[in-house]
Amino acid sequence: MKLITFLSLFFSLSTLAQVNLTGNIIDSDGAPVAFANVVLLDVEEGTFKFGTSTDESGEFSISNVTAGDYDLKASFVGYVTLSRKLTLQKDTALNNLVLETDAAQLDAITVTAKKPTIERKADRIIFNVENTSLSTGNASQILESTPGVFEMNGSYTVKGSTAQVYINNKRVFLSDEELQQLLRGYNGDNVKSVEVIYNPPARYDADGGAVINIITSKNVSLGYKGSVTGNYEIDTYAKYQIGTSQFYKNDWLNVYANYNYNPRKDLTLQESQVGFFNSDGTRNSRWFTDVNTVNRSDAHALNSIIDITLNEKNSLSFMGYLGLNNGRELDSQVKTSILPQGGTSFSGFDTSSDVGQDYASGHANLAWNSVLNDNGGNLNVEGTYIFTDNDNTQDFSSRFFDNTQTTTGTNSFRTTGFQKANIFTGKVDYEDLFGSYTFSSGLKYTNISNKSNQDYFDTNMGAVLDPSLSDVFDYDERIYAAYTQVSRDWEKWSLTGGLRLEQTQVEGDSKSLGLVNEQDYLGFFPNLALGHTLNDNNDLSLSYKRSIDRPGSGDLNPFNNFINDNNVSTGTPGLVPAFTNKINLGWNYKNELFVDAYYLHTSDMINSVAFQNNDTNVLVQQSVNLNYEFQYSVDATIYKMLNESWLTYTSISAFYMENEIDALQSPISLQKSSTTGFYLDSQNLFDISKDGSLKMNINASYVSSILFGTYRYENMLTSEIGFSKSLWNNRAILTASYSDIFLSANQPFVTRYQNQDNRELTLPETQLFSLGFTYKFGNFRLENRDTEEPEDQKRTGKTSKGF
């Protein structure tokens, strides 16, 4: 009996013994296959047990394998998967396992790497860029190359509407500057496609007239890979960005992490004029201001995502982001010259403004997804917490002088302040197929709590707190949303229709001014998209969308931000939301020619408008509600592969815009502004070498005239030439580019009506020479998945003129 017990124990221990498996993989020519996947599967169930990938010499090693029977599978893109049954009872070496070339796979890879492609649907276009020449850049460059997308100062517009940026159907609520840093950190080979959604369906938030949704590539293989990236650019000052991405996947776990460091020194020049008037309408004087601003920043960004597959139907995802920009400095030297009407000599004042800022933002997101049935039904539940913490100071001093340049007085002050925001969102989304109809619905709750403080100290005679210029501003917002959507495809027709309801409760409280803005309203936001295929070459589409633009806390915040003594920027506590109706009619010919005619009308549009007070000689940049703005437009895009190495797509838009405001400082209370303009954009991609390793892009765009509130924006030409070179069997990529070739990307804004005459020309560093380098290591041929960003963070910002 003891002998039987001993033998049973011995047998049990032996079956649990751990062994080591080593070996190497070669191709049919005897060359090592680097970064191939090697996995051991359960013989009976076929589930994953152990796995690794080969190194650069084609060798692999799996340690601590439980003794037993396995299916070994070795695979790599372009090769037939090798399968072998193994019984492991001791350390085993498998030498020279051969992978045979799969010609069909290689042919498919060659085809998909040719060029970007465009798909047109009733409410969007899909720009497929995976494995194309655009993959050598970053996500920001890809968006700039996407048909129908116009970028300025880090903000994007699509068919006359400011676009909200999403990544994998999750909205990115960051400032324009943070968004650009995030997108520059996304390698182009991480981007699968870009969806440009003209009239977004009900599953998307109601605010924002258009959506740009970046879809990242999904991993299909096991293993580890990583990359390091560096970018250097110079105009007046040099700036650079370095970063690294790390990725690991096995059968139940995805881990991704990305870190970017972006120290910058940027110069912005600004020239402005204000013509002040007497009460009888005659000219009083003209004020000329030159601003020289140096912005020093030291930004860090870390984002990561962890996906856990619980079983074949349930998965969890955790995502986090942290951005830091401490010690930021904006140093401005401002010179203002005053020329009286009929005068020949200038008086004026010189101003020095030094702003210091410490900024931190971050978020954490947890999501659960469950597959409900074999028809594609799924349930998604997620919660997100977002925070921003911004501390800032401004030291301001001015010296006034007469027309003999003799000092006549001084002014100085110091402000200290902070802005702290906490945002929470929770949402549930359900989607399923019922017969031929796809049905989706969902609920969402958003809570925004924002507290701002500014103390103003008069430092002309010591440091005396001025309560009249100090303030505490509290802002709370709650949004309760519900939506439902139905879609169906027939042989020649497609239909998508939905309705989103959003109940909004807002309270903004300016303590020192005693102003409280309370709002409680229910918004109905329908959408409809209808598509019809006429024949193999022609498709028609019709879509409609109603959307909302809510004022951010920065728009409502009444704090004064001084550029100089007579130029102030402020918010307006009494702002109300804006509502937009948009209709679009589209024609698609062979996926090469796209023509759209659309109309959009916005009531109470929120914009930053300049009002000059001719009695006090002060110019105030103020967030206001326009009475309305509407636009008619006809757009056309031609997308064509002219030959095997030249892809071109050119877009042209002709439009009419009109708006109306309450003219706060003018004798006639209402003021209309209008313009007729056009926009032209041409993107050209070239394969210079036969093997496709050397590529060139030449891009140019021009806008003739467009409105931003009462400002008319005119005559801006942008241009760029760039090159990319793949090295070492695509292990590394070297890029070089030169932008604003003709030094014509300046930003002119002009207001002229009744007794208002002010203009400014902003000259940022746009003529940049850039060099970039990316090196990939590990199993870099794996496709990967990138991080997603949360919703509802940008609402702490302030609307400004421009996109």
Side-chain angles (χ1 to χ4, degrees):
M1 188 67 177
K2 292 183 178 180
L3 178 60
I4 295 175
T5 303
F6 175 79
L7 291 175
S8 299
L9 179 60
F10 177 80
F11 179 77
S12 300
L13 292 174
S14 66
T15 58
L16 296 175
Q18 293 182 327
V19 300
N20 300 319
L21 176 65
T22 59
N24 71 298
I25 296 178
I26 59 176
D27 61 18
S28 56
D29 296 325
V33 180
F35 310 117
N37 294 316
V38 181
V39 296
L40 294 176
L41 306 177
D42 183 273
V43 172
E44 295 181 358
E45 298 180 0
T47 56
F48 173 87
K49 292 299 183 181
F50 302 93
T52 187
S53 58
T54 59
D55 60 21
E56 294 185 8
S57 61
E59 297 180 352
F60 67 89
S61 176
I62 307 178
S63 302
N64 301 321
V65 177
T66 303
D69 296 329
Y70 296 95
D71 277 335
L72 178 140
K73 291 187 182 296
S75 62
F76 190 68
V77 177
Y79 294 89
V80 178
T81 298
L82 171 69
S83 181
R84 176 179 295 184
K85 291 189 180 296
L86 291 178
T87 297
L88 299 178
Q89 296 295 344
K90 61 180 180 179
D91 292 350
T92 303
L94 302 176
N95 296 320
N96 296 331
L97 297 176
V98 179
L99 292 184
E100 300 291 343
T101 301
D102 187 337
Q105 282 194 42
L106 293 178
D107 289 343
I109 292 169
T110 301
V111 170
T112 58
K114 286 285 187 181
K115 64 182 179 70
T117 60
I118 292 180
E119 300 174 45
R120 177 64 187 259
K121 296 187 177 181
D123 62 349
R124 73 192 67 189
I125 66 168
I126 302 173
F127 189 46
N128 297 300
V129 299
E130 190 173 31
N131 298 321
T132 71
S133 57
L134 294 177
S135 298
T136 60
N138 57 47
S140 176
Q141 294 167 328
I142 289 175
L143 288 193
E144 292 172 8
S145 299
T146 299
V149 175
F150 181 47
E151 183 272 339
M152 188 178 76
N153 296 339
S155 185
Y156 298 91
T157 187
V158 172
K159 295 195 179 303
S161 300
T162 299
Q164 308 293 350
V165 176
Y166 284 66
I167 297 177
N168 293 333
N169 289 309
K170 292 192 175 183
R171 187 170 167 184
V172 179
F173 267 97
L174 299 171
S175 68
D176 293 340
E177 184 177 349
E178 291 176 312
L179 175 62
Q180 281 303 299
Q181 182 181 350
L182 177 71
L183 295 178
R184 285 194 295 262
Y186 274 85
N187 290 329
D189 60 3
N190 295 335
V191 179
K192 179 180 181 181
S193 61
V194 179
E195 295 181 337
V196 183
I197 310 174
Y198 311 132
N199 288 341
R203 65 167 296 175
Y204 294 96
D205 287 347
D207 55 323
V211 164
I212 299 172
N213 186 27
I214 301 171
I215 305 298
T216 60
S217 299
K218 304 296 182 181
N219 55 291
V220 296
S221 303
L222 306 175
Y224 162 79
K225 76 171 186 176
S227 67
V228 291
T229 302
N231 187 74
Y232 171 88
E233 56 185 13
I234 186 169
D235 185 340
T236 303
Y237 298 122
K239 47 225 108 202
Y240 64 92
Q241 177 173 327
I242 57 175
T244 182
S245 296
Q246 308 293 322
F247 175 84
Y248 172 76
K249 171 185 169 60
N250 61 30
D251 68 317
W252 62 275
L253 177 68
N254 274 313
V255 179
Y256 173 83
N258 173 265
Y259 168 75
N260 278 281
Y261 174 52
N262 187 204
R264 299 180 64 89
K265 183 179 181 182
D266 296 289
L267 173 67
T268 301
L269 303 177
Q270 188 179 81
E271 303 170 358
S272 64
Q273 297 182 33
V274 183
F276 289 105
F277 294 87
N278 297 309
S279 58
D280 61 2
T282 60
R283 180 78 65 180
N284 176 279
S285 60
R286 187 172 292 277
W287 295 42
F288 303 86
T289 301
D290 294 324
V291 182
N292 183 312
T293 301
V294 177
N295 180 357
R296 298 175 177 84
S297 62
D298 200 48
H300 302 258
L302 174 65
N303 52 78
S304 64
I305 188 167
I306 301 173
D307 286 336
I308 302 173
T309 301
L310 301 176
N311 52 49
E312 62 181 10
K313 291 189 175 182
N314 294 276
S315 62
L316 288 176
S317 176
F318 172 80
M319 180 261 294
Y321 169 84
L322 178 64
L324 300 173
N325 195 349
N326 292 330
R328 181 178 181 181
E329 299 177 357
L330 290 86
D331 299 327
S332 299
Q333 300 300 318
V334 187
K335 183 175 180 61
T336 302
S337 301
I338 305 171
L339 182 65
Q341 182 68 17
T344 58
S345 58
F346 292 89
S347 61
F349 51 96
D350 294 333
T351 301
S352 176
S353 171
D354 298 324
V355 176
Q357 184 183 69
D358 291 333
Y359 183 87
S361 66
H363 64 253
N365 171 276
L366 181 63
W368 168 61
N369 186 77
S370 180
V371 177
L372 302 177
N373 53 51
D374 295 334
N375 294 327
N378 68 84
L379 178 69
N380 183 267
V381 181
E382 65 178 77
T384 304
Y385 170 71
I386 307 165
F387 78 91
T388 61
D389 192 344
N390 185 5
D391 296 315
N392 59 78
T393 62
Q394 181 182 20
D395 290 299
F396 181 100
S397 62
S398 293
R399 180 187 72 89
F400 300 88
F401 52 86
D402 59 21
N403 58 4
T404 66
Q405 307 302 300
T406 301
T407 300
T408 59
T410 61
N411 179 42
S412 65
F413 65 82
R414 176 181 176 86
T415 63
T416 61
F418 65 82
Q419 181 185 42
K420 300 182 185 297
N422 292 280
I423 304 170
F424 171 77
T425 69
K427 59 184 297 190
V428 179
D429 294 288
Y430 166 75
E431 184 176 74
D432 209 343
L433 185 68
F434 294 95
S436 301
Y437 293 87
T438 300
F439 172 81
S440 60
S441 63
L443 301 171
K444 182 179 178 182
Y445 170 71
T446 301
N447 182 283
I448 300 175
S449 177
N450 189 304
K451 186 178 183 65
S452 303
N453 177 82
Q454 179 172 285
D455 291 328
Y456 180 99
F457 297 90
D458 187 336
T459 57
N460 247 358
M461 302 292 293
V464 181
L465 178 67
D466 187 341
S468 66
L469 294 175
S470 303
D471 199 5
V472 174
F473 183 73
D474 292 338
Y475 176 81
D476 292 290
E477 176 179 290
R478 292 170 298 280
I479 303 172
Y480 306 86
Y483 77 88
T484 185
Q485 181 119 355
V486 178
S487 63
R488 179 176 175 177
D489 292 333
W490 291 269
E491 182 178 354
K492 291 183 176 295
W493 292 89
S494 65
L495 175 66
T496 298
L499 176 65
R500 189 178 183 96
L501 306 180
E502 292 191 352
Q503 178 74 36
T504 305
Q505 299 172 349
V506 173
E507 180 175 326
D509 184 4
S510 174
K511 301 297 185 182
S512 66
L513 297 181
L515 297 175
V516 178
N517 179 6
E518 291 185 339
Q519 301 177 29
D520 192 345
Y521 55 90
L522 176 64
F524 293 80
F525 305 99
N527 70 281
L528 177 69
L530 180 66
H532 178 55
T533 299
L534 297 175
N535 49 50
D536 290 341
N537 295 329
N538 295 275
D539 296 285
L540 296 177
S541 62
L542 177 67
S543 61
Y544 165 77
K545 169 75 173 179
R546 186 172 191 257
S547 60
I548 187 174
D549 181 19
R550 299 180 181 88
S553 60
D555 295 307
L556 299 167
N557 194 327
F559 296 172
N560 291 322
N561 298 298
F562 292 86
I563 299 170
N564 61 17
D565 289 83
N566 82 309
N567 194 332
V568 181
S569 175
T570 187
T572 304
L575 290 179
V576 297
F579 293 90
T580 298
N581 289 279
K582 182 177 181 180
I583 187 168
N584 188 96
L585 176 63
W587 169 45
N588 171 19
Y589 177 70
K590 289 185 174 181
N591 274 348
E592 293 182 352
L593 173 63
F594 307 92
V595 179
D596 291 275
Y598 62 89
Y599 169 77
L600 61 87
H601 182 280
T602 302
S603 58
D604 297 316
M605 172 177 275
I606 301 168
N607 216 314
S608 180
V609 175
F611 295 109
Q612 62 187 66
N613 187 317
N614 291 287
D615 296 326
T616 61
N617 294 335
V618 172
L619 182 70
V620 178
Q621 307 275 351
Q622 187 172 4
S623 297
V624 300
N625 287 117
L626 311 184
N627 294 333
Y628 68 82
E629 179 169 287
F630 68 81
Q631 177 181 344
Y632 300 96
S633 183
V634 177
D635 297 357
T637 298
I638 299 173
Y639 179 89
K640 188 72 173 177
M641 196 77 185
L642 297 180
N643 54 44
E644 292 183 356
S645 61
W646 182 6
L647 170 67
T648 182
Y649 44 96
T650 298
S651 301
I652 185 169
S653 175
F655 53 85
Y656 172 78
M657 299 179 66
E658 181 182 305
N659 63 40
E660 181 185 83
I661 66 164
D662 294 322
L664 301 181
Q665 298 291 343
S666 301
I668 301 176
S669 60
L670 297 179
Q671 178 62 43
K672 290 183 179 180
S673 301
S674 64
T675 189
T676 300
F678 71 92
Y679 169 67
L680 177 66
D681 178 58
S682 181
Q683 308 277 337
N684 297 272
L685 307 175
F686 302 89
D687 280 330
I688 304 300
S689 61
K690 291 184 178 181
D691 63 358
S693 64
L694 178 61
K695 304 178 186 297
M696 177 177 70
N697 64 280
I698 300 176
N699 309 322
S701 64
Y702 174 76
V703 60
S704 64
S705 178
I706 197 168
L707 291 181
F708 296 108
T710 58
Y711 278 108
R712 186 189 302 271
Y713 179 92
E714 297 180 324
N715 298 322
M716 185 183 76
L717 171 67
T718 64
S719 52
E720 181 182 37
I721 184 170
F723 298 88
S724 66
K725 174 64 177 176
S726 298
L727 304 170
W728 310 322
N729 194 25
N730 290 324
R731 181 175 289 279
I733 300 173
L734 179 65
T735 61
S737 65
Y738 184 57
S739 60
D740 196 11
I741 301 169
F742 306 106
L743 198 59
S744 53
N746 304 322
Q747 300 171 14
F749 295 91
V750 178
T751 292
R752 182 67 182 95
Y753 66 90
Q754 298 189 57
N755 61 351
Q756 303 289 298
D757 181 9
N758 55 84
R759 62 196 66 202
E760 67 180 57
L761 176 64
T762 301
L763 309 167
E765 290 183 282
T766 55
Q767 197 170 60
L768 292 163
F769 174 71
S770 303
L771 282 175
F773 182 76
T774 298
Y775 180 78
K776 306 173 186 178
F777 49 86
N779 195 348
F780 68 92
R781 292 181 179 85
L782 291 177
E783 294 180 357
N784 84 343
R785 175 185 177 190
D786 233 319
T787 62
E788 302 167 352
E789 292 302 312
E791 307 179 16
D792 304 302
Q793 187 159 331
K794 198 174 182 179
R795 294 296 308 288
T796 60
K798 180 180 185 297
T799 303
S800 61
K801 63 178 180 295
F803 301 120

